[in-house]
Every structure is written in structure tokens, then in C-alpha cells.
Amino acid sequence: MAYHHGDLRRVLLEATAAAIQEHGVAALSLRDLARRAGVSHAAPAHHFGDKAGLLTAFAAAGFEELATALAGDDFLEMGVAYVRFALSRPAHFEVMFRPDLYHADDPALLAARAKSSEALYGEDTDKTAGQAGWSIAHGFATLWLSGAFPGRDQDPLDLARALFRQLNPGYSQ
Amino acid sequence: MAYHHGDLRRVLLEATAAAIQEHGVAALSLRDLARRAGVSHAAPAHHFGDKAGLLTAFAAAGFEELATALAGDDFLEMGVAYVRFALSRPAHFEVMFRPDLYHADDPALLAARAKSSEALYGEDTDKTAGQAGWSIAHGFATLWLSGAFPGRDQDPLDLARALFRQLNPGYSQ
DNA sequence: GGCTCAATCTTGACGTTGACAAGATTGGAG
DNA sequence: CTCCAATCTTGTCAACGTCAAGATTGAGCC
């Protein structure tokens, strides 16, 4: 077999996203990831310690990308960007908010999560309005991904925009 | 061993809630439930077919209880009731919105879910406002349960009320 | 009371998984 | 050229979900 794959860590993280989108987090298996990457069954554990370690890195990457996606937008478009991220990276989004799946005290993860919080709350003057916007964005994204939200023929981003406009004036342009 | 436990199905569902609250859904094990109930390792499968069958019944019970909890309240208090349910039955709430864990086409489950939808949307005139309220309630509950929401020293129901008041007038009394 | 039978639960087995230990391979630093 | 740490493999273990087969029980029926 080929030793020193060279890029295994990145390949495994990409395979994780694919595997979760295909069969859900519940069915995620380190051995399946190893098969997808063409390495032995114990190779993933070397890079991430254990399964929770893999998902820790996976969630951290998600928070990093979310922080980038949120940067620089106004209130309403930031909410839309939040939903857009959740729908385009559903596997990351799901793992990120299930701390029972990973090592929630990991420094890299905490730093990445702080970055997204910064992007969400950084310049916000009205804390409660920001929390309401975050709740709408998160709730809508979660419900949409779980299939529970009605109106599945419409564009979810348009739907999200309509929901944000239900908030008090000043944010509803 | 004692055959004909008599009440095993109910006991297993209660043990499921306890086990999930202790160690998360990811760590849920039929064999552990069997040990908690004092029966053999294969007894749970007899009542529910398989693990997904158990979680189907578990989620259905959750939707039933949610429908009851939502009945008869005005808009704002219905949202508060939604959050109260999520926080008082966190295990049910989590499973209910993770259809990859159960048999999403189960008739009993679909009926129970329809009942909650009815309670949520039944008399609602403004569909978008209702969806915004649902999104806030669901998003806040999810974020609170995942530990991501700030202000963990405050009463979550008071916090939820404050968020609902961020919606357009007519719902913010 | 005794018989029958379906429902309930047990026992035993199989393939798969996450984790661990020990060994093989490799590339780079000195 | 040698060493060494990083990378990956191989082998193993207990635990898990699932299935098949058997044991036990209570309720209906004569």
C-alpha cells in the first residue's frame, strides 16, 4: 500500500461532508471514510485521535467558513448569508451545533466559533434584535434542512428574506 | 428471567429519554436500554422492529405531546409553549427534527406531526408571520439546547419572550 | 381443569464499528 | 548515509444492531 498519502487529512474532511450528506451523521463511520480515501481502516484515527476529533476539526472548519461568509454584510443580508451557508454546507452546519459529537473544549474550535460570534454580534448595537435575527436564521435553516418547513417549491433564500422582514422596522428594508 | 414484563414498551421509551439526556442520541444503544429495563439485549427489537423503529415511536410521542402543549394559546404564548416543550423534553425535541434517525414515513408519526402543525398553523391568518414565529421559537430552542446562545444565567423563557417581541406589532403585546 | 396458540422475551450467533497496540514504511534533517 | 519522527498498516478486542431459533407465559376455548 502507498504510505504517506500526503493529503489525507484534507481528503478525509471532504469525505466526511460527502458521507454525512449521503447517509446522515448517525451513519458516519471512520472505516467508511478510510475506504473512500483508499487507506487502511485505522488511518483516520491517526490524524484526528478519534471520531470526535475528526468531527471537532470538521466543525471548526465550518465555523471558519461561516465567519467568512458573514463578514461585511448588513443585518438582513447577514441573515441571508447565514441561511445560505447552512443550505450549502448542511453537513458542517449540522455537526457545528451538535456539541455532543465533538470535543467542545478544543482550542481551535473555540477560536473558530468565537470568530463567527464576532461576525454575528461584533458591531451590533441592539443585542436583542441581533439574537432575534440569529434565531430566525438558525430556526429557518434547521427546519428547512429537516424537511419540516412548508413551501418546499419556493426559493428558500427568498423565504428567509420574507421572514426577516417580519422583524421590527429598521431591519426590514 | 421474568417473561412478560408487561409494560416494557413504555419503560423503554422512558429509558430512551433518560439515556439521550445523559449521553446524547449519538451514544444511544438498544442494549443499554435493555439493561436499564432489566431485560435481554434483543427485547427492545421485538417491540420496535429496529433502532429506527424505537426512535419513530419516540418522536411520535414527542409530536403528540407538543400538539397538546401548543393547544389554545395566543400567538406569543404559543411560541413560549414551544420553547418550554423543547427545554423540558430535550431528547424528544432533538429526535423529532432529525428524520434521518427514524422511519419518516410511519403513519402514526405522520399523524402526530400533522397534529402539531395543525396547532401551529390551524387558525393562523398571516402565514408568513406564523412561520417567522415558528422559526424564532425553533431557532432559539435549538441554539439554547446546544449551548451556543449567550446569556445562560437568565431565564430562557423570559429571553424567548423578548425575542418574540422583536416581531412586528400585533404580536408583541 | 386442561389444551392451544399467539405474544412476549431469551439465547446464541454474525458482520460491522471505534479504539488500541505494535509494526512497517517513508522522507527529511544532520 | 544514518537516524528519526511522521505516516500508515496490520491485528485484535469489546460493544453494537440485527437476525434466527427456542423458551415461557397468559388468555381464550373446550
Side-chain angles (χ1 to χ4, degrees):
Chain A
M1 278 285 175
Y3 282 70
H4 286 87
H5 179 288
D7 212 10
L8 186 54
R9 188 187 165 91
R10 190 184 54 80
V11 169
L12 286 173
L13 287 175
E14 287 173 4
T16 299
I20 292 179
Q21 274 178 254
E22 287 172 27
H23 305 108
V25 238
L28 183 68
S29 139
L30 291 182
R31 291 171 108 107
D32 176 54
L33 296 180
R35 282 188 290 266
R36 288 173 189 247
V39 294
S40 77
H41 67 260
H46 171 72
H47 283 275
F48 299 102
D50 55 5
K51 194 178 181 182
L54 168 82
L55 292 177
T56 303
F58 190 71
F63 279 115
E64 292 281 353
E65 188 172 337
L66 175 60
T68 307
L70 292 180
D73 282 310
D74 65 53
F75 187 91
L76 190 147
E77 283 309 316
M78 198 163 79
V80 175
Y82 191 97
V83 174
R84 187 186 300 116
F85 168 80
L87 301 192
S88 68
R89 295 258 185 266
H92 289 80
F93 186 72
E94 176 165 7
V95 174
M96 285 159 65
F97 295 97
R98 298 209 40 210
D100 58 309
L101 292 180
Y102 54 80
H103 299 132
D105 55 346
D106 179 78
L109 177 117
L110 290 176
R113 188 168 64 178
K115 248 201 266 184
S116 340
S117 294
E118 181 78 12
L120 264 177
Y121 280 111
E123 338 106 26
D124 208 29
T125 53
D126 187 341
K127 202 179 152 202
T128 305
Q131 292 178 341
W134 185 21
S135 293
I136 285 198
H138 193 85
F140 173 75
T142 304
L143 289 170
W144 182 269
L145 286 173
S146 82
F149 211 88
R152 301 198 65 76
D153 50 330
Q154 303 171 50
D155 176 21
L157 293 185
D158 287 343
L159 245 167
R161 252 181 274 264
L163 298 187
F164 287 126
R165 274 192 275 268
Q166 293 293 313
L167 287 171
N168 278 335
Y171 312 103
S172 51
Q173 203 283 333
Chain B
M1 278 286 174
Y3 283 69
H4 286 87
H5 178 289
D7 212 11
L8 186 52
R9 189 186 164 92
R10 191 183 54 81
V11 168
L12 286 173
L13 287 174
E14 287 173 3
T16 299
I20 293 179
Q21 273 177 254
E22 287 172 27
H23 306 106
V25 237
L28 184 68
S29 140
L30 291 182
R31 291 172 108 106
D32 176 55
L33 296 180
R35 281 188 290 268
R36 288 172 189 248
V39 294
S40 78
H41 67 261
H46 171 74
H47 283 275
F48 300 101
D50 55 6
K51 193 178 180 180
L54 168 82
L55 292 176
T56 304
F58 190 71
F63 279 115
E64 292 282 353
E65 188 171 337
L66 175 59
T68 305
L70 292 179
D73 282 312
D74 66 55
F75 187 91
L76 190 147
E77 283 309 316
M78 199 162 78
V80 175
Y82 191 98
V83 174
R84 188 185 299 117
F85 168 80
L87 302 193
S88 68
R89 294 261 186 263
H92 289 81
F93 186 71
E94 175 165 8
V95 174
M96 286 159 65
F97 295 97
R98 297 209 40 213
D100 59 308
L101 292 181
Y102 53 80
H103 300 133
D105 56 346
D106 179 77
L109 177 117
L110 290 174
R113 189 168 63 180
K115 248 201 268 184
S116 339
S117 294
E118 180 79 11
L120 264 177
Y121 280 111
E123 341 104 28
D124 209 27
T125 54
D126 187 340
K127 202 178 151 200
T128 305
Q131 293 178 340
W134 186 21
S135 294
I136 285 199
H138 192 85
F140 172 74
T142 305
L143 289 170
W144 183 269
L145 286 173
S146 80
F149 211 88
R152 300 198 66 76
D153 50 332
Q154 302 170 51
D155 176 21
L157 293 185
D158 287 343
L159 244 167
R161 250 181 274 264
L163 297 187
F164 287 126
R165 275 192 272 268
Q166 293 293 312
L167 287 171
N168 279 334
Y171 312 104
S172 50
Q173 201 282 328

